[in-house]
Each structure stands twice: as C-alpha cells, then as structure tokens.
Amino acid sequence: VDQGEGVQAEVDLAELAELARTAGAVVAHQELVFRPSLDPRYAVGRGKVEELVSQAYHQNAGTLIFGIDLSAAQARELETITGLKILDRTQLILDIFAQHARTPEAKVQVELAQLKYLLPRLVGKGKELSRLGGGIGTRGPGETKLEVDRRRLKDRIAELTRKLREIAARRQETRRQRDKSGLPIVGVVGYTNAGKTTLMHALAKKGDEGENKLFATLRPLTRRGFLPGIGEVLFTDTVGFIRHMPGDLVEAFRSTLEELRDADVLLHVLDASQEGALERYEVVEDLLAELGVESRRVLVLSKADAADGYDLEFLKERLGGLPVAAVKGLGLHELKQWVAEALLAQGVRPAAWAYVSPEPRVAVAASTD
C-alpha cells in the first residue's frame, strides 16, 4: 500500500514478494495500491478487495498478503469478505523466523514474539469466541474461553521471558570468557540477505556457507579468523535487519543484538547490487543507534561483482566503503587491512606473532654444493 512514499513503496512491494518467496509461497500476483489513508474496515477499500479476490480466483491463489500491519478487526473483515487466508507483513516475517529458528534460544525468541503479536488479536478468533461483550445477555462460554486463552498466553509469555533472561545471563558469561581471552571482536551487521554470512565464511577459518534467503541466520555465529598486523580475532554474525522490523522481534532478539555493543569494530555489510541501498544503510544505522551501539564502523559494499558500475561509484562517493565480492574473493585482502587499521585505531594491541601468516608453509632444504 503506497501511502505517499513513492519509489520507496515500489521497493517495499518487491521486498514483500521476496519475503513471501522466502516463506515458501509462490507469488501469483503483486499490486501496489495507492491509498493516502487506510479504510478502517478493509484497509484498501471494498472495491479494491473485490478486485483482488477476482485476481486470486483467476490465479488459483489462496492467500492474500498485505505489506502493512492489519488490525484484528481489519483481518477479520478481510477474511470474511474474501474467504482467503489473510496475512500482514509482521505475520509473514514471524513465519520466516519460525521456519529458520534452529537453536533453543532462537525458538524461544521467535515464540515469544509470536505470542506477543497474537495476544491483542485474540478477539474474534473463531466462532467459539464470537460472544465477547460484557454485561447482560453477553456472558457465556465464549467470554470464558477467551479469558482462559488469554491467561494461558500470558503465562506462556511470562515463562518464555524468564527463559530469555536465563539465556541472556549465560550469554553474558560467555562474553566475559571471551573478554578474558583478549581476542578482538569484529561484529558483522547489515540488512537481511546482504551477504553477511558469506563474508564471514570468506574471512573466518570455519565460517558457514551463506544462503540466498532473507533471515537465513538467526543465531549469532562466532568464528576465529586472522588479520595481518593484529593476529587472531573473533568474527560474530547476527540476525539481519529489515525496514519496519516488528518491535516484538527487536525486543525478543535484544539479548542477541546487544552482543554488538561488545564489538571493537563493526563490519556494516551493504548489498551494492540491490536498488535502495542508501535506504537500507539508514535502516541498519538507525537500529544500531536505537540499541546504543557506538562501535567504529567499516562499510563493506558487498556483491560488488553483480553491482552496476555507476551505482557502485555513487555509493562509494556518498558513503565511502570498500567494494567486495566475497564469493570470488575480490577485495578481501584490502578489507582485512581496513579492519586491522580500524582495530589499531581503537587501541587494540597486536599479538606478538601478528605479522606471521597462519597458513602452513612448505620447508625446502637445499644443499650448498
């Protein structure tokens, strides 16, 4: 829905389609609807909804996804009038997070965000909850069932919040142990699918392979690497950021994201091959500011081999940064030098053997004869 954003609305629509594909959907039709103010019942108006239902019928589609957050009342009205499954952007992102959550910590964080999203939307969920009013003639099993569901949700939210506190405490202890090791920490941040994990794989000794998916990394990954002039360092990858990131998700992943505060230097990875790079750069920087992260930044213009030459030069002129193509190994040597210089500027003291390459060398014995 374009509420006056112009070109940015088109970028948001393309991102919504990519989110849908990441969640496992096949995008049959996508449409940008200009509407300065939303319809309180049908979001985009009854006439437009009927057009979309016709499209869904002809495309044999069963789900209608909105790139905005719908109120409980709007979602209910839309489901009633269309007969389709209705999702909004936050539900879609939560679904992707749920699919990618592998570790116990990530599962707790995602479930907590889902329950916090669901709690205020319990009203009207199903026919058994249809009698929701208070007072004479409206009390009954519907109200009782709703209150039971609410209480269960609140209890579960309290339990998950307690688990997250325990996880945060363990993570803090892990950070303390890392501090004792004295190794510099390089945090890797960026917009989702910017190429962070692929870069980690190229820089660290045992990095994981990246995937061309949104939010492929949910758990923080820490790997050892080597920087000339510094020695061993720890590279830490984190969950990718996204525009209008659901507040409950930010809150749930706060303990994970707060690891960034401990980083001596941050690698901000920006996909230079995609349209709207400047806006994505600002989204990440704004969220880092919100989290109180003040670490020194090194900007990486990733996927430089796939970027248009003019766009790449424009980004370098506006933001600075170093073009890198991690898959092909282009720019990695220069990037390591940039990071090493940034660490030295932060007061990091190099290891005694920092100028010796960790790669094994072949010794050759030669006769003097």
Side-chain angles (χ1 to χ4, degrees):
V1 181
D2 179 4
Q3 294 183 265
E5 297 91 350
V7 176
Q8 184 58 51
E10 296 178 13
V11 175
D12 288 347
L13 179 63
E15 185 174 85
L16 184 68
E18 187 59 31
L19 284 168
R21 280 189 282 269
T22 300
V26 176
V27 179
H29 174 76
Q30 58 189 64
E31 188 169 333
L32 189 61
V33 179
F34 179 72
R35 193 171 181 99
S37 59
L38 298 180
D39 186 305
R41 289 187 70 182
Y42 304 113
V44 293
R46 174 102 186 217
K48 177 53 69 176
V49 170
E50 289 173 352
E51 285 181 31
L52 293 171
V53 170
S54 177
Q55 275 286 350
Y57 175 78
H58 289 296
Q59 300 284 352
N60 195 28
T63 303
L64 183 58
I65 304 174
F66 286 79
I68 54 174
D69 283 343
L70 299 170
S71 68
Q74 286 171 331
R76 188 167 61 250
E77 292 286 352
L78 286 166
E79 283 187 352
T80 300
I81 193 176
T82 64
L84 301 171
K85 183 178 181 181
I86 302 296
L87 294 177
D88 63 17
R89 187 173 180 275
T90 295
Q91 285 174 291
L92 188 61
I93 292 174
L94 288 172
D95 183 76
I96 294 169
F97 269 63
Q99 287 183 43
H100 290 179
R102 294 288 181 268
T103 63
E105 177 184 6
K107 289 177 181 178
V108 168
Q109 289 169 322
V110 172
E111 186 184 352
L112 180 61
Q114 286 177 318
L115 294 183
K116 284 185 174 181
Y117 178 83
L118 179 61
L119 185 60
R121 289 166 172 79
L122 264 186
V123 177
K125 288 282 183 182
K127 292 181 180 178
E128 74 277 7
L129 302 183
S130 59
R131 297 176 65 189
L132 302 176
I136 298 171
T138 57
R139 297 186 181 93
E143 186 177 14
T144 304
K145 175 73 164 60
L146 179 66
E147 290 307 316
V148 168
D149 287 347
R150 275 184 179 152
R151 188 160 56 251
R152 284 175 178 166
L153 275 187
K154 288 178 179 177
D155 289 346
R156 181 63 177 160
I157 287 172
E159 181 185 353
L160 291 172
T161 302
R162 178 184 56 76
K163 283 185 178 179
L164 268 190
R165 285 200 204 100
E166 293 174 357
I167 290 170
R170 288 200 297 271
R171 188 176 292 285
Q172 186 66 32
E173 182 57 33
T174 302
R175 287 205 290 265
R176 278 198 215 96
Q177 294 299 324
R178 261 192 312 214
D179 289 342
K180 287 180 182 178
S181 73
L183 294 181
I185 298 173
V186 179
V188 183
V189 299
Y191 206 79
T192 181
N193 204 27
K196 299 183 299 299
T197 305
T198 304
L199 184 65
M200 276 264 295
H201 181 75
L203 292 175
K205 291 179 180 177
K206 293 183 179 180
D208 291 348
E209 293 279 6
E211 291 183 81
N212 187 24
K213 287 183 177 179
L214 303 183
F215 303 116
T217 300
L218 290 191
R219 69 190 189 281
L221 302 170
T222 300
R223 297 286 183 266
R224 287 174 183 259
F226 176 87
L227 291 178
I230 295 293
E232 269 200 321
V233 298
L234 295 176
F235 290 100
T236 299
D237 192 7
T238 56
V239 63
F241 299 162
I242 194 168
R243 187 181 291 103
H244 310 311
M245 196 168 185
D248 290 335
L249 268 180
V250 176
E251 192 58 39
F253 279 82
R254 185 170 290 275
S255 62
T256 301
L257 295 171
E258 281 181 350
E259 287 220 346
L260 300 174
R261 290 182 184 174
D262 298 328
D264 297 291
V265 168
L266 285 184
L267 285 183
H268 180 163
V269 184
L270 179 64
D271 184 351
S273 68
Q274 292 291 320
E275 189 178 352
L278 277 178
E279 289 75 12
R280 292 196 301 277
Y281 172 83
E282 290 170 1
V283 167
V284 174
E285 288 296 327
D286 288 346
L287 192 48
L288 289 173
E290 182 185 328
L291 292 167
V293 178
E294 299 176 351
S295 305
R296 189 185 184 97
R297 316 274 206 273
V298 172
L299 181 63
V300 181
L301 303 177
S302 68
K303 307 182 188 180
D305 54 326
D308 180 88
Y310 175 80
D311 292 339
L312 200 57
E313 287 302 317
F314 173 76
L315 289 173
K316 285 170 64 178
E317 186 179 324
R318 284 290 300 271
L319 304 174
L322 178 68
V324 170
V327 173
K328 295 183 177 180
L330 302 177
L332 291 177
H333 179 69
E334 292 86 348
L335 177 59
K336 288 180 179 180
Q337 289 181 323
W338 278 36
V339 177
E341 289 170 9
L343 287 169
L344 290 172
Q346 292 295 98
V348 172
R349 298 176 66 182
W353 47 272
Y355 294 91
V356 180
S357 171
E359 301 299 327
R361 296 183 182 274
V362 178
V364 179
S367 170
T368 56
D369 294 339

